[in-house]
Amino acid sequence: MLLACATAFPVFAHAAALDQFKSFVSSTKAARGEFTQRQVKTDDAGKGASRVSTPATGTFVFARPGKFIWTYVKPYEQVLQADGDKLYIYDKDLNQVTIRKLGNALGSSPAAILFGSNDLEKNFTLKEAGSRDGLEWLQAIPKAKDTTFDQIAIGLKDGVPMAMELKDSFGQVSLLSFKNFEKNPQIASDQFRFETPKGADVFQQ
């Protein structure tokens, strides 16, 4: 973790996760950083064995409400980009763009927690989840029944999200860790405008 992240917000060093997170949401209008994502799958035979996928890495930038660019760099290249109205999913290998209405795509998704509006308790039930791995954890349960994820956990340190755990109804867990998290950077006004790559196939959903 960056030393800057550890020293910039000392007032939150031992604050409860919910207090840290509410302060983060209210004070952070934009942010950028890097992420690592892993998938954990439980053995179908029910023996408790788990398999962890090869890590995917990339970068993110967001501006509230509902504007973000989530870029996978390795092991494959893919971009999820939202301009506040629509969500664009670009697969570089297929040279294909899928466009969805952002309201339906965001909703109670994990992206809504970090990138959405400040009205989180409208879509999620939030509660403390204790300390683990040097982080204070917050649990977010989507109130809607038709969401992809049953449960989301957010690990915070010094007022900044450092990790997320996303559990779906099929027993799969996505683990996200963040680094170089920069709050409220200068962002160009047109940065979130998506430009369709030359020759790409476009699908509306």
Side-chain angles (χ1 to χ4, degrees):
M1 307 299 181
L2 274 188
L3 180 62
C5 287
T7 59
F9 310 100
V11 68
F12 296 112
H14 303 290
L18 189 55
D19 290 339
Q20 288 194 52
F21 188 71
K22 286 185 175 180
S23 179
F24 165 76
V25 171
S26 64
S27 66
T28 307
K29 306 306 179 186
R32 63 186 171 201
E34 302 170 22
F35 69 87
T36 299
Q37 181 175 350
R38 295 175 175 85
Q39 305 292 125
V40 180
K41 293 184 178 180
T42 303
D43 187 353
D44 292 336
K47 298 179 181 179
S50 297
R51 292 179 290 112
V52 181
S53 70
T54 301
T57 59
T59 63
F60 68 87
V61 58
F62 75 82
R64 299 186 193 278
K67 296 180 180 180
F68 61 87
I69 305 173
W70 186 272
T71 305
Y72 289 96
V73 178
K74 296 180 179 179
Y76 52 86
E77 294 186 52
Q78 185 184 57
V79 177
L80 284 73
Q81 184 165 332
D83 59 8
D85 179 47
K86 294 180 180 179
L87 173 67
Y88 303 84
I89 303 172
Y90 173 56
D91 188 308
K92 185 174 181 178
D93 288 341
L94 299 176
N95 199 21
Q96 177 178 301
V97 177
T98 302
I99 304 175
R100 300 174 182 170
K101 186 70 175 175
L102 184 59
N104 297 331
L106 201 59
S108 297
S109 71
I113 290 184
L114 291 180
F115 313 138
S117 69
N118 293 354
D119 191 17
L120 288 172
E121 290 174 288
K122 176 181 177 181
N123 293 316
F124 296 91
T125 299
L126 305 175
K127 64 178 182 180
E128 299 286 346
S131 301
R132 175 166 47 92
D133 302 326
L135 305 176
E136 298 295 326
W137 288 85
L138 175 71
Q139 185 183 67
I141 305 296
K143 293 182 178 180
K145 301 300 183 183
D146 58 348
T147 58
T148 303
F149 296 99
D150 291 343
Q151 181 178 314
I152 301 165
I154 308 154
L156 298 108
K157 183 177 182 180
D158 303 314
V160 174
M162 305 300 287
M164 292 181 75
E165 297 179 355
L166 319 170
K167 299 180 181 180
D168 67 22
S169 56
F170 301 102
Q172 180 170 283
V173 179
S174 297
L175 306 176
L176 286 164
S177 59
F178 305 115
K179 66 178 183 179
N180 297 343
F181 204 113
E182 181 183 355
K183 293 177 61 174
N184 299 318
Q186 291 292 325
I187 296 176
S189 59
D190 61 349
Q191 181 164 346
F192 299 98
R193 186 175 63 222
F194 185 81
E195 294 186 7
T196 302
K198 185 176 181 180
D201 294 321
V202 178
F203 299 91
Q204 296 272 355
Q205 291 188 351

